[in-house]
Amino acid sequence: MDIDGFYEIIQMRRDVRNEFIGGPMDQSKLKRILRAAHQAPSVGMTQPWDFILVDDDAIRIDFRDHVLVERSKFSDRLIGEAQETFNPIKIEGIMESAIGIVVTYDPSRGGSAILGRNTIDETGLYSVCLAIENLWLAATAEGYGVGWVSFYQESFLCDLVGIPSPLRPIAWLCLGPISTLMEVPDLERFNWRGRRPLEEALFQNRYGERLKLDL
């Protein structure tokens, strides 16, 4: 195993917006990416995710228009400098990417007695997020970009792609060929927010007691 290559993929991964170039997906690579997502760990081995691949332009246009309305609502809530910083930031690549992947969560999968979810119900949702991370890293390794769109109303997306209750849409992922992966994430480049140093997140034994580690 190329361990350095593994860490390089983690460092390279980006939330892609502007760099999608369209064009088709290589089907063998797409299968590997989806297989990697499906191999994620899950609470009680429930695998509570499903993946809806969306390549219908009519559906994508409807979703893009809805997302832009929600983006405008968010912008209107911002004041002064925050709004000026946010306005140039592109928040989706729905039409520019090759496909959209809607990732859903089924809280009923596995029945009522799920090993590992008896005291922390959210572990099912966490499992879906792990599948998304697997997909994201696999896509990066294959040379593709992924963008997570979260400016939407869940009820709208459920109606748009026919997601039944009790399933929930957790993400619309834009996936496809890209021109490049930016070295610096968009939100840093546009001065929305910078990275938090690792040292600030490390504690020893009790929260608030800093871990003394030479990093």
Side-chain angles (χ1 to χ4, degrees):
M1 177 182 294
D2 181 1
I3 192 66
D4 290 334
F6 170 75
Y7 284 110
E8 184 179 357
I9 291 300
I10 293 176
Q11 189 277 330
M12 287 172 57
R13 184 212 56 81
R14 290 289 176 268
D15 200 352
V16 176
R17 313 296 187 192
N18 292 290
E19 292 74 40
F20 288 113
I21 57 175
M25 295 281 299
D26 180 286
Q27 293 301 295
S28 62
K29 292 182 179 181
L30 177 59
K31 288 177 183 178
R32 284 199 295 265
I33 292 168
L34 293 172
R35 188 173 293 114
H38 194 58
Q39 289 173 332
S42 64
V43 64
M45 198 59 180
T46 52
Q47 298 179 295
W49 50 69
D50 290 292
F51 308 98
I52 305 170
L53 276 62
V54 183
D55 58 6
D56 185 312
D57 279 349
I59 294 176
R60 297 205 292 172
I61 289 170
D62 284 350
F63 185 64
R64 189 271 316 275
D65 292 347
H66 170 73
V67 167
L68 292 181
V69 168
E70 294 301 320
R71 183 194 193 282
S72 180
K73 290 178 182 177
F74 177 75
S75 178
D76 290 343
R77 293 200 299 270
L78 300 174
I79 298 174
E81 185 177 343
Q83 188 178 70
E84 293 177 5
T85 301
F86 172 73
N87 282 342
I89 299 175
K90 184 174 174 63
I91 54 92
E92 51 79 27
I94 296 165
M95 299 307 299
E96 296 87 347
S97 56
I99 58 172
I101 300 180
V102 180
V103 187
T104 64
Y105 167 49
D106 183 353
S108 66
R109 190 165 297 158
S112 58
I114 296 173
L115 191 157
R117 217 180 85 183
N118 58 312
T119 58
I120 307 175
D121 191 57
E122 292 87 350
T123 51
L125 182 58
Y126 303 159
S127 300
V128 177
C129 293
L130 290 171
I132 292 172
E133 178 74 356
N134 269 21
L135 185 153
W136 214 327
L137 293 176
T140 303
E142 295 284 2
Y144 290 124
V146 175
W148 186 330
V149 182
S150 56
F151 278 76
Y152 63 85
Q153 297 292 332
E154 287 192 21
S155 58
F156 178 90
L157 186 50
C158 286
D159 290 342
L160 184 64
V161 297
I163 299 172
S165 178
L167 276 66
R168 288 182 57 194
I170 304 305
W172 177 299
L173 303 176
C174 302
L175 173 64
I178 52 173
S179 58
T180 187
L181 285 172
M182 301 301 294
E183 290 188 14
V184 179
D186 283 359
L187 297 190
E188 286 189 72
R189 291 192 298 114
F190 284 94
N191 296 316
W192 179 260
R193 180 162 296 162
R195 284 189 183 275
R196 182 185 177 206
L198 173 60
E199 293 83 353
E200 292 185 5
L202 297 177
F203 303 97
Q204 189 161 11
N205 296 322
R206 296 179 62 84
Y207 187 86
E209 296 182 6
R210 291 291 178 190
L211 174 66
K212 295 185 172 50
L213 181 66
D214 185 8
L215 301 175

